[in-house]
Amino acid sequence: ADVFDFIASNVRLADTVLGDLRAQCSANHVACERLRELCEERDWKDFQPLADEIIRRSEEIARAEILRIPDGVYRHAAPIDIIDGEQVVIQATVTVRGDELTVDFTGSSKQVRPAVNCTIRYTTAYAQFAVGALLHLPIQLNEGSLRPIHVVAEPGSVLNCTFPAPVFAR
């Protein structure tokens, strides 16, 4: 209860956030029960060998898809209007070398006072999602499929802000 109270007092849409959190906890509980039942049914000591194989195969699939992209450096800059006529620029350089892909946001705007900044964790997640969609992977993103995808953003930038910069939603 203390944790939920703490979270509720630190977010804008407490009912929505707590509802989402409770749903995630419930889904995780059900998934754990189903996995336990699967292990019992198969007489497995644990789930780790299967999880390792899923991760290994996922990485293999992702690397094979990246190999389909011609090696090279691909750049784009996107100016984005924020508030009061202000603008930030998102600079992305995507480098493909063999079966590895790097999204580098170096050169993007410095962090700003309006709450549009992003932490590196969310910048990474957003970039990985976009790359996953580009690769059209027949699997869910997971540790293995994300291994060959790297994300870089300068500390203090709008995409890797530092305290006390305000952030958007998270």
mmCIF file of all heavy atoms in Angstrom, residues 112-161:
data_model
loop_
_atom_site.group_PDB
_atom_site.id
_atom_site.type_symbol
_atom_site.label_atom_id
_atom_site.label_comp_id
_atom_site.label_asym_id
_atom_site.label_seq_id
_atom_site.Cartn_x
_atom_site.Cartn_y
_atom_site.Cartn_z
ATOM 1 N N VAL A 112 15.725 20.843 -22.511
ATOM 2 C CA VAL A 112 14.998 22.117 -22.474
ATOM 3 C C VAL A 112 14.152 22.209 -21.217
ATOM 4 O O VAL A 112 13.910 21.215 -20.529
ATOM 5 C CB VAL A 112 14.113 22.269 -23.740
ATOM 6 C CG1 VAL A 112 14.982 22.410 -24.991
ATOM 7 C CG2 VAL A 112 13.151 21.109 -23.884
ATOM 8 N N ARG A 113 13.669 23.433 -20.952
ATOM 9 C CA ARG A 113 12.855 23.659 -19.750
ATOM 10 C C ARG A 113 11.454 23.056 -19.840
ATOM 11 O O ARG A 113 10.954 22.536 -18.855
ATOM 12 C CB ARG A 113 12.779 25.147 -19.428
ATOM 13 C CG ARG A 113 14.103 25.687 -18.898
ATOM 14 C CD ARG A 113 14.027 27.146 -18.461
ATOM 15 N NE ARG A 113 12.948 27.442 -17.541
ATOM 16 C CZ ARG A 113 12.990 27.266 -16.217
ATOM 17 N NH1 ARG A 113 14.074 26.760 -15.660
ATOM 18 N NH2 ARG A 113 11.968 27.590 -15.453
ATOM 19 N N PRO A 114 10.784 23.085 -21.009
ATOM 20 C CA PRO A 114 9.465 22.429 -21.078
ATOM 21 C C PRO A 114 9.606 20.910 -20.892
ATOM 22 O O PRO A 114 10.650 20.328 -21.200
ATOM 23 C CB PRO A 114 8.972 22.756 -22.484
ATOM 24 C CG PRO A 114 9.747 23.967 -22.903
ATOM 25 C CD PRO A 114 11.084 23.832 -22.237
ATOM 26 N N ALA A 115 8.557 20.294 -20.404
ATOM 27 C CA ALA A 115 8.588 18.853 -20.085
ATOM 28 C C ALA A 115 8.464 17.991 -21.337
ATOM 29 O O ALA A 115 7.504 17.240 -21.509
ATOM 30 C CB ALA A 115 7.487 18.528 -19.086
ATOM 31 N N VAL A 116 9.452 18.096 -22.220
ATOM 32 C CA VAL A 116 9.479 17.267 -23.427
ATOM 33 C C VAL A 116 10.742 16.413 -23.483
ATOM 34 O O VAL A 116 10.941 15.667 -24.433
ATOM 35 C CB VAL A 116 9.356 18.110 -24.719
ATOM 36 C CG1 VAL A 116 8.040 18.858 -24.758
ATOM 37 C CG2 VAL A 116 10.543 19.051 -24.865
ATOM 38 N N ASN A 117 11.594 16.527 -22.483
ATOM 39 C CA ASN A 117 12.836 15.769 -22.451
ATOM 40 C C ASN A 117 12.540 14.289 -22.233
ATOM 41 O O ASN A 117 11.469 13.908 -21.778
ATOM 42 C CB ASN A 117 13.726 16.285 -21.309
ATOM 43 C CG ASN A 117 14.057 17.739 -21.477
ATOM 44 O OD1 ASN A 117 14.762 18.110 -22.408
ATOM 45 N ND2 ASN A 117 13.527 18.577 -20.598
ATOM 46 N N CYS A 118 13.514 13.476 -22.559
ATOM 47 C CA CYS A 118 13.357 12.036 -22.441
ATOM 48 C C CYS A 118 14.572 11.453 -21.727
ATOM 49 O O CYS A 118 15.688 11.944 -21.902
ATOM 50 C CB CYS A 118 13.229 11.454 -23.845
ATOM 51 S SG CYS A 118 12.548 9.813 -23.899
ATOM 52 N N THR A 119 14.362 10.423 -20.952
ATOM 53 C CA THR A 119 15.481 9.721 -20.327
ATOM 54 C C THR A 119 16.082 8.753 -21.348
ATOM 55 O O THR A 119 15.421 8.370 -22.312
ATOM 56 C CB THR A 119 15.022 8.930 -19.094
ATOM 57 O OG1 THR A 119 14.108 7.916 -19.510
ATOM 58 C CG2 THR A 119 14.355 9.847 -18.065
ATOM 59 N N ILE A 120 17.312 8.337 -21.109
ATOM 60 C CA ILE A 120 17.970 7.421 -22.046
ATOM 61 C C ILE A 120 17.224 6.094 -22.139
ATOM 62 O O ILE A 120 17.175 5.475 -23.196
ATOM 63 C CB ILE A 120 19.465 7.208 -21.686
ATOM 64 C CG1 ILE A 120 20.191 6.446 -22.795
ATOM 65 C CG2 ILE A 120 19.606 6.505 -20.350
ATOM 66 C CD1 ILE A 120 20.226 7.113 -24.138
ATOM 67 N N ARG A 121 16.604 5.656 -21.063
ATOM 68 C CA ARG A 121 15.865 4.389 -21.101
ATOM 69 C C ARG A 121 14.702 4.461 -22.092
ATOM 70 O O ARG A 121 14.474 3.520 -22.846
ATOM 71 C CB ARG A 121 15.358 4.020 -19.719
ATOM 72 C CG ARG A 121 16.482 3.697 -18.758
ATOM 73 C CD ARG A 121 15.988 2.971 -17.539
ATOM 74 N NE ARG A 121 17.012 2.829 -16.541
ATOM 75 C CZ ARG A 121 17.939 1.891 -16.543
ATOM 76 N NH1 ARG A 121 17.984 1.030 -17.528
ATOM 77 N NH2 ARG A 121 18.834 1.824 -15.577
ATOM 78 N N TYR A 122 13.987 5.568 -22.077
ATOM 79 C CA TYR A 122 12.863 5.684 -23.003
ATOM 80 C C TYR A 122 13.332 5.966 -24.424
ATOM 81 O O TYR A 122 12.763 5.459 -25.383
ATOM 82 C CB TYR A 122 11.836 6.702 -22.508
ATOM 83 C CG TYR A 122 10.944 6.041 -21.504
ATOM 84 C CD1 TYR A 122 11.239 6.080 -20.151
ATOM 85 C CD2 TYR A 122 9.851 5.296 -21.910
ATOM 86 C CE1 TYR A 122 10.462 5.411 -19.230
ATOM 87 C CE2 TYR A 122 9.063 4.620 -20.999
ATOM 88 C CZ TYR A 122 9.370 4.681 -19.665
ATOM 89 O OH TYR A 122 8.599 4.003 -18.770
ATOM 90 N N THR A 123 14.383 6.744 -24.565
ATOM 91 C CA THR A 123 14.941 6.960 -25.898
ATOM 92 C C THR A 123 15.358 5.621 -26.494
ATOM 93 O O THR A 123 15.073 5.311 -27.658
ATOM 94 C CB THR A 123 16.148 7.913 -25.827
ATOM 95 O OG1 THR A 123 15.679 9.193 -25.385
ATOM 96 C CG2 THR A 123 16.843 8.049 -27.172
ATOM 97 N N THR A 124 16.008 4.803 -25.686
ATOM 98 C CA THR A 124 16.441 3.483 -26.141
ATOM 99 C C THR A 124 15.233 2.626 -26.521
ATOM 100 O O THR A 124 15.214 2.001 -27.590
ATOM 101 C CB THR A 124 17.284 2.792 -25.052
ATOM 102 O OG1 THR A 124 18.445 3.592 -24.798
ATOM 103 C CG2 THR A 124 17.704 1.398 -25.472
ATOM 104 N N ALA A 125 14.223 2.610 -25.666
ATOM 105 C CA ALA A 125 13.030 1.800 -25.950
ATOM 106 C C ALA A 125 12.332 2.265 -27.224
ATOM 107 O O ALA A 125 11.936 1.437 -28.058
ATOM 108 C CB ALA A 125 12.066 1.862 -24.770
ATOM 109 N N TYR A 126 12.198 3.577 -27.389
ATOM 110 C CA TYR A 126 11.540 4.103 -28.590
ATOM 111 C C TYR A 126 12.341 3.728 -29.845
ATOM 112 O O TYR A 126 11.777 3.328 -30.866
ATOM 113 C CB TYR A 126 11.392 5.625 -28.519
ATOM 114 C CG TYR A 126 10.506 6.139 -27.417
ATOM 115 C CD1 TYR A 126 10.793 7.342 -26.777
ATOM 116 C CD2 TYR A 126 9.379 5.442 -26.994
ATOM 117 C CE1 TYR A 126 9.986 7.830 -25.770
ATOM 118 C CE2 TYR A 126 8.569 5.926 -25.986
ATOM 119 C CZ TYR A 126 8.869 7.127 -25.376
ATOM 120 O OH TYR A 126 8.071 7.605 -24.374
ATOM 121 N N ALA A 127 13.655 3.875 -29.776
ATOM 122 C CA ALA A 127 14.494 3.563 -30.935
ATOM 123 C C ALA A 127 14.468 2.064 -31.244
ATOM 124 O O ALA A 127 14.370 1.668 -32.409
ATOM 125 C CB ALA A 127 15.927 4.040 -30.694
ATOM 126 N N GLN A 128 14.548 1.245 -30.205
ATOM 127 C CA GLN A 128 14.502 -0.202 -30.422
ATOM 128 C C GLN A 128 13.165 -0.628 -31.024
ATOM 129 O O GLN A 128 13.127 -1.499 -31.903
ATOM 130 C CB GLN A 128 14.743 -0.948 -29.105
ATOM 131 C CG GLN A 128 16.169 -0.840 -28.623
ATOM 132 C CD GLN A 128 16.346 -1.367 -27.220
ATOM 133 O OE1 GLN A 128 15.426 -1.385 -26.399
ATOM 134 N NE2 GLN A 128 17.560 -1.798 -26.905
ATOM 135 N N PHE A 129 12.085 -0.026 -30.579
ATOM 136 C CA PHE A 129 10.774 -0.342 -31.150
ATOM 137 C C PHE A 129 10.741 -0.005 -32.638
ATOM 138 O O PHE A 129 10.267 -0.800 -33.452
ATOM 139 C CB PHE A 129 9.661 0.402 -30.406
ATOM 140 C CG PHE A 129 8.306 0.152 -31.012
ATOM 141 C CD1 PHE A 129 7.595 -0.995 -30.699
ATOM 142 C CD2 PHE A 129 7.764 1.049 -31.920
ATOM 143 C CE1 PHE A 129 6.346 -1.246 -31.276
ATOM 144 C CE2 PHE A 129 6.531 0.808 -32.504
ATOM 145 C CZ PHE A 129 5.819 -0.339 -32.172
ATOM 146 N N ALA A 130 11.246 1.181 -32.985
ATOM 147 C CA ALA A 130 11.249 1.599 -34.391
ATOM 148 C C ALA A 130 12.099 0.662 -35.239
ATOM 149 O O ALA A 130 11.689 0.262 -36.337
ATOM 150 C CB ALA A 130 11.764 3.040 -34.503
ATOM 151 N N VAL A 131 13.267 0.279 -34.745
ATOM 152 C CA VAL A 131 14.124 -0.639 -35.490
ATOM 153 C C VAL A 131 13.437 -1.996 -35.617
ATOM 154 O O VAL A 131 13.455 -2.620 -36.688
ATOM 155 C CB VAL A 131 15.518 -0.768 -34.844
ATOM 156 C CG1 VAL A 131 16.323 -1.887 -35.489
ATOM 157 C CG2 VAL A 131 16.266 0.557 -34.935
ATOM 158 N N GLY A 132 12.811 -2.460 -34.534
ATOM 159 C CA GLY A 132 12.081 -3.724 -34.589
ATOM 160 C C GLY A 132 10.990 -3.701 -35.642
ATOM 161 O O GLY A 132 10.797 -4.673 -36.385
ATOM 162 N N ALA A 133 10.284 -2.581 -35.745
ATOM 163 C CA ALA A 133 9.235 -2.449 -36.762
ATOM 164 C C ALA A 133 9.848 -2.416 -38.160
ATOM 165 O O ALA A 133 9.322 -3.026 -39.096
ATOM 166 C CB ALA A 133 8.417 -1.185 -36.505
ATOM 167 N N LEU A 134 10.965 -1.738 -38.308
ATOM 168 C CA LEU A 134 11.662 -1.669 -39.592
ATOM 169 C C LEU A 134 12.117 -3.061 -40.039
ATOM 170 O O LEU A 134 11.983 -3.425 -41.205
ATOM 171 C CB LEU A 134 12.882 -0.749 -39.486
ATOM 172 C CG LEU A 134 13.863 -0.782 -40.658
ATOM 173 C CD1 LEU A 134 13.292 -0.012 -41.835
ATOM 174 C CD2 LEU A 134 15.203 -0.221 -40.251
ATOM 175 N N LEU A 135 12.627 -3.831 -39.099
ATOM 176 C CA LEU A 135 13.122 -5.166 -39.435
ATOM 177 C C LEU A 135 11.990 -6.153 -39.701
ATOM 178 O O LEU A 135 12.212 -7.212 -40.272
ATOM 179 C CB LEU A 135 14.014 -5.700 -38.303
ATOM 180 C CG LEU A 135 15.292 -4.920 -38.022
ATOM 181 C CD1 LEU A 135 16.023 -5.532 -36.835
ATOM 182 C CD2 LEU A 135 16.187 -4.868 -39.250
ATOM 183 N N HIS A 136 10.802 -5.801 -39.259
ATOM 184 C CA HIS A 136 9.631 -6.664 -39.449
ATOM 185 C C HIS A 136 9.919 -8.064 -38.899
ATOM 186 O O HIS A 136 9.766 -9.072 -39.594
ATOM 187 C CB HIS A 136 9.223 -6.704 -40.923
ATOM 188 C CG HIS A 136 7.850 -7.256 -41.126
ATOM 189 N ND1 HIS A 136 6.734 -6.653 -40.620
ATOM 190 C CD2 HIS A 136 7.421 -8.363 -41.767
ATOM 191 C CE1 HIS A 136 5.677 -7.360 -40.940
ATOM 192 N NE2 HIS A 136 6.065 -8.411 -41.634
ATOM 193 N N LEU A 137 10.357 -8.094 -37.653
ATOM 194 C CA LEU A 137 10.717 -9.358 -37.013
ATOM 195 C C LEU A 137 9.474 -10.205 -36.758
ATOM 196 O O LEU A 137 8.453 -9.684 -36.312
ATOM 197 C CB LEU A 137 11.440 -9.087 -35.694
ATOM 198 C CG LEU A 137 12.762 -8.333 -35.798
ATOM 199 C CD1 LEU A 137 13.293 -7.999 -34.411
ATOM 200 C CD2 LEU A 137 13.781 -9.131 -36.587
ATOM 201 N N PRO A 138 9.554 -11.496 -37.003
ATOM 202 C CA PRO A 138 8.411 -12.386 -36.763
ATOM 203 C C PRO A 138 8.331 -12.831 -35.300
ATOM 204 O O PRO A 138 7.658 -13.799 -34.974
ATOM 205 C CB PRO A 138 8.721 -13.576 -37.681
ATOM 206 C CG PRO A 138 10.212 -13.642 -37.689
ATOM 207 C CD PRO A 138 10.670 -12.196 -37.631
ATOM 208 N N ILE A 139 9.041 -12.127 -34.426
ATOM 209 C CA ILE A 139 9.096 -12.457 -32.999
ATOM 210 C C ILE A 139 8.902 -11.184 -32.191
ATOM 211 O O ILE A 139 9.056 -10.079 -32.704
ATOM 212 C CB ILE A 139 10.466 -13.078 -32.637
ATOM 213 C CG1 ILE A 139 11.601 -12.153 -33.102
ATOM 214 C CG2 ILE A 139 10.609 -14.478 -33.207
ATOM 215 C CD1 ILE A 139 12.982 -12.541 -32.676
ATOM 216 N N GLN A 140 8.597 -11.339 -30.924
ATOM 217 C CA GLN A 140 8.516 -10.187 -30.025
ATOM 218 C C GLN A 140 9.935 -9.722 -29.694
ATOM 219 O O GLN A 140 10.865 -10.528 -29.637
ATOM 220 C CB GLN A 140 7.801 -10.570 -28.725
ATOM 221 C CG GLN A 140 6.352 -10.953 -28.919
ATOM 222 C CD GLN A 140 5.524 -9.784 -29.389
ATOM 223 O OE1 GLN A 140 5.656 -8.674 -28.902
ATOM 224 N NE2 GLN A 140 4.662 -10.019 -30.357
ATOM 225 N N LEU A 141 10.095 -8.426 -29.482
ATOM 226 C CA LEU A 141 11.398 -7.929 -29.048
ATOM 227 C C LEU A 141 11.716 -8.543 -27.689
ATOM 228 O O LEU A 141 10.857 -8.621 -26.807
ATOM 229 C CB LEU A 141 11.381 -6.406 -28.953
ATOM 230 C CG LEU A 141 11.233 -5.644 -30.274
ATOM 231 C CD1 LEU A 141 11.202 -4.144 -30.015
ATOM 232 C CD2 LEU A 141 12.344 -5.988 -31.241
ATOM 233 N N ASN A 142 12.942 -8.985 -27.542
ATOM 234 C CA ASN A 142 13.395 -9.552 -26.276
ATOM 235 C C ASN A 142 14.901 -9.347 -26.176
ATOM 236 O O ASN A 142 15.510 -8.744 -27.063
ATOM 237 C CB ASN A 142 13.002 -11.040 -26.156
ATOM 238 C CG ASN A 142 13.649 -11.904 -27.225
ATOM 239 O OD1 ASN A 142 14.845 -11.836 -27.465
ATOM 240 N ND2 ASN A 142 12.840 -12.733 -27.876
ATOM 241 N N GLU A 143 15.502 -9.846 -25.130
ATOM 242 C CA GLU A 143 16.931 -9.648 -24.921
ATOM 243 C C GLU A 143 17.752 -10.049 -26.150
ATOM 244 O O GLU A 143 18.657 -9.332 -26.569
ATOM 245 C CB GLU A 143 17.397 -10.457 -23.710
ATOM 246 C CG GLU A 143 18.883 -10.343 -23.442
ATOM 247 C CD GLU A 143 19.368 -11.250 -22.325
ATOM 248 O OE1 GLU A 143 18.534 -11.781 -21.575
ATOM 249 O OE2 GLU A 143 20.594 -11.426 -22.218
ATOM 250 N N GLY A 144 17.426 -11.168 -26.746
ATOM 251 C CA GLY A 144 18.179 -11.639 -27.891
ATOM 252 C C GLY A 144 18.017 -10.766 -29.121
ATOM 253 O O GLY A 144 19.004 -10.401 -29.778
ATOM 254 N N SER A 145 16.777 -10.411 -29.442
ATOM 255 C CA SER A 145 16.548 -9.607 -30.651
ATOM 256 C C SER A 145 17.071 -8.187 -30.496
ATOM 257 O O SER A 145 17.323 -7.501 -31.489
ATOM 258 C CB SER A 145 15.060 -9.593 -31.015
ATOM 259 O OG SER A 145 14.287 -9.039 -29.980
ATOM 260 N N LEU A 146 17.284 -7.741 -29.255
ATOM 261 C CA LEU A 146 17.789 -6.386 -29.021
ATOM 262 C C LEU A 146 19.318 -6.318 -28.945
ATOM 263 O O LEU A 146 19.885 -5.241 -29.052
ATOM 264 C CB LEU A 146 17.187 -5.822 -27.732
ATOM 265 C CG LEU A 146 15.674 -5.612 -27.754
ATOM 266 C CD1 LEU A 146 15.174 -5.161 -26.387
ATOM 267 C CD2 LEU A 146 15.267 -4.623 -28.828
ATOM 268 N N ARG A 147 19.976 -7.445 -28.780
ATOM 269 C CA ARG A 147 21.444 -7.438 -28.631
ATOM 270 C C ARG A 147 22.177 -6.736 -29.769
ATOM 271 O O ARG A 147 23.157 -6.018 -29.517
ATOM 272 C CB ARG A 147 21.967 -8.862 -28.469
ATOM 273 C CG ARG A 147 21.816 -9.384 -27.078
ATOM 274 C CD ARG A 147 22.434 -10.759 -26.931
ATOM 275 N NE ARG A 147 22.153 -11.269 -25.599
ATOM 276 C CZ ARG A 147 22.079 -12.549 -25.302
ATOM 277 N NH1 ARG A 147 22.293 -13.465 -26.243
ATOM 278 N NH2 ARG A 147 21.815 -12.936 -24.078
ATOM 279 N N PRO A 148 21.782 -6.906 -31.024
ATOM 280 C CA PRO A 148 22.540 -6.249 -32.096
ATOM 281 C C PRO A 148 22.108 -4.802 -32.362
ATOM 282 O O PRO A 148 22.599 -4.174 -33.298
ATOM 283 C CB PRO A 148 22.265 -7.131 -33.312
ATOM 284 C CG PRO A 148 20.931 -7.738 -33.054
ATOM 285 C CD PRO A 148 20.840 -7.902 -31.554
ATOM 286 N N ILE A 149 21.202 -4.274 -31.549
ATOM 287 C CA ILE A 149 20.697 -2.905 -31.745
ATOM 288 C C ILE A 149 21.237 -2.033 -30.618
ATOM 289 O O ILE A 149 20.993 -2.298 -29.439
ATOM 290 C CB ILE A 149 19.156 -2.877 -31.748
ATOM 291 C CG1 ILE A 149 18.603 -3.796 -32.832
ATOM 292 C CG2 ILE A 149 18.645 -1.444 -31.912
ATOM 293 C CD1 ILE A 149 17.107 -4.051 -32.715
ATOM 294 N N HIS A 150 21.961 -0.983 -30.975
ATOM 295 C CA HIS A 150 22.598 -0.111 -29.983
ATOM 296 C C HIS A 150 22.053 1.307 -30.124
ATOM 297 O O HIS A 150 21.775 1.761 -31.233
ATOM 298 C CB HIS A 150 24.110 -0.121 -30.176
ATOM 299 C CG HIS A 150 24.653 -1.511 -30.307
ATOM 300 N ND1 HIS A 150 24.813 -2.359 -29.236
ATOM 301 C CD2 HIS A 150 25.029 -2.228 -31.403
ATOM 302 C CE1 HIS A 150 25.279 -3.523 -29.648
ATOM 303 N NE2 HIS A 150 25.411 -3.467 -30.966
ATOM 304 N N VAL A 151 21.930 2.000 -28.997
ATOM 305 C CA VAL A 151 21.392 3.361 -28.998
ATOM 306 C C VAL A 151 22.337 4.260 -28.201
ATOM 307 O O VAL A 151 22.766 3.904 -27.102
ATOM 308 C CB VAL A 151 19.969 3.403 -28.392
ATOM 309 C CG1 VAL A 151 19.437 4.827 -28.363
ATOM 310 C CG2 VAL A 151 19.029 2.494 -29.182
ATOM 311 N N VAL A 152 22.627 5.425 -28.779
ATOM 312 C CA VAL A 152 23.527 6.396 -28.162
ATOM 313 C C VAL A 152 22.837 7.759 -28.140
ATOM 314 O O VAL A 152 22.228 8.161 -29.134
ATOM 315 C CB VAL A 152 24.840 6.517 -28.985
ATOM 316 C CG1 VAL A 152 25.761 7.577 -28.399
ATOM 317 C CG2 VAL A 152 25.530 5.165 -29.089
ATOM 318 N N ALA A 153 22.929 8.452 -27.012
ATOM 319 C CA ALA A 153 22.440 9.837 -26.917
ATOM 320 C C ALA A 153 23.296 10.564 -25.880
ATOM 321 O O ALA A 153 23.580 10.016 -24.806
ATOM 322 C CB ALA A 153 20.969 9.876 -26.525
ATOM 323 N N GLU A 154 23.688 11.777 -26.207
ATOM 324 C CA GLU A 154 24.572 12.546 -25.331
ATOM 325 C C GLU A 154 23.870 12.905 -24.016
ATOM 326 O O GLU A 154 22.717 13.365 -24.034
ATOM 327 C CB GLU A 154 24.974 13.855 -26.008
ATOM 328 C CG GLU A 154 25.787 13.676 -27.260
ATOM 329 C CD GLU A 154 25.946 14.981 -28.024
ATOM 330 O OE1 GLU A 154 24.927 15.510 -28.507
ATOM 331 O OE2 GLU A 154 27.092 15.449 -28.109
ATOM 332 N N PRO A 155 24.538 12.715 -22.882
ATOM 333 C CA PRO A 155 23.972 13.170 -21.602
ATOM 334 C C PRO A 155 23.721 14.679 -21.657
ATOM 335 O O PRO A 155 24.517 15.431 -22.221
ATOM 336 C CB PRO A 155 25.065 12.838 -20.577
ATOM 337 C CG PRO A 155 25.860 11.739 -21.221
ATOM 338 C CD PRO A 155 25.828 12.042 -22.697
ATOM 339 N N GLY A 156 22.592 15.094 -21.112
ATOM 340 C CA GLY A 156 22.231 16.503 -21.128
ATOM 341 C C GLY A 156 21.466 16.915 -22.365
ATOM 342 O O GLY A 156 21.096 18.077 -22.523
ATOM 343 N N SER A 157 21.215 15.963 -23.252
ATOM 344 C CA SER A 157 20.445 16.273 -24.453
ATOM 345 C C SER A 157 18.962 16.008 -24.188
ATOM 346 O O SER A 157 18.589 15.401 -23.182
ATOM 347 C CB SER A 157 20.916 15.428 -25.641
ATOM 348 O OG SER A 157 20.552 14.072 -25.463
ATOM 349 N N VAL A 158 18.135 16.455 -25.120
ATOM 350 C CA VAL A 158 16.690 16.264 -24.999
ATOM 351 C C VAL A 158 16.332 14.771 -24.997
ATOM 352 O O VAL A 158 15.260 14.387 -24.531
ATOM 353 C CB VAL A 158 15.945 17.051 -26.106
ATOM 354 C CG1 VAL A 158 16.169 16.427 -27.470
ATOM 355 C CG2 VAL A 158 14.469 17.200 -25.802
ATOM 356 N N LEU A 159 17.248 13.918 -25.463
ATOM 357 C CA LEU A 159 17.003 12.471 -25.520
ATOM 358 C C LEU A 159 17.775 11.678 -24.475
ATOM 359 O O LEU A 159 17.707 10.452 -24.441
ATOM 360 C CB LEU A 159 17.318 11.938 -26.921
ATOM 361 C CG LEU A 159 16.422 12.517 -28.014
ATOM 362 C CD1 LEU A 159 16.879 12.044 -29.381
ATOM 363 C CD2 LEU A 159 14.968 12.151 -27.768
ATOM 364 N N ASN A 160 18.507 12.372 -23.617
ATOM 365 C CA ASN A 160 19.218 11.742 -22.500
ATOM 366 C C ASN A 160 19.417 12.801 -21.431
ATOM 367 O O ASN A 160 20.542 13.161 -21.081
ATOM 368 C CB ASN A 160 20.564 11.164 -22.970
ATOM 369 C CG ASN A 160 21.269 10.381 -21.870
ATOM 370 O OD1 ASN A 160 20.742 10.174 -20.790
ATOM 371 N ND2 ASN A 160 22.487 9.955 -22.167
ATOM 372 N N CYS A 161 18.296 13.310 -20.958
ATOM 373 C CA CYS A 161 18.347 14.452 -20.050
ATOM 374 C C CYS A 161 18.913 14.049 -18.684
ATOM 375 O O CYS A 161 18.927 12.879 -18.316
ATOM 376 C CB CYS A 161 16.965 15.074 -19.906
ATOM 377 S SG CYS A 161 15.750 13.981 -19.139
#
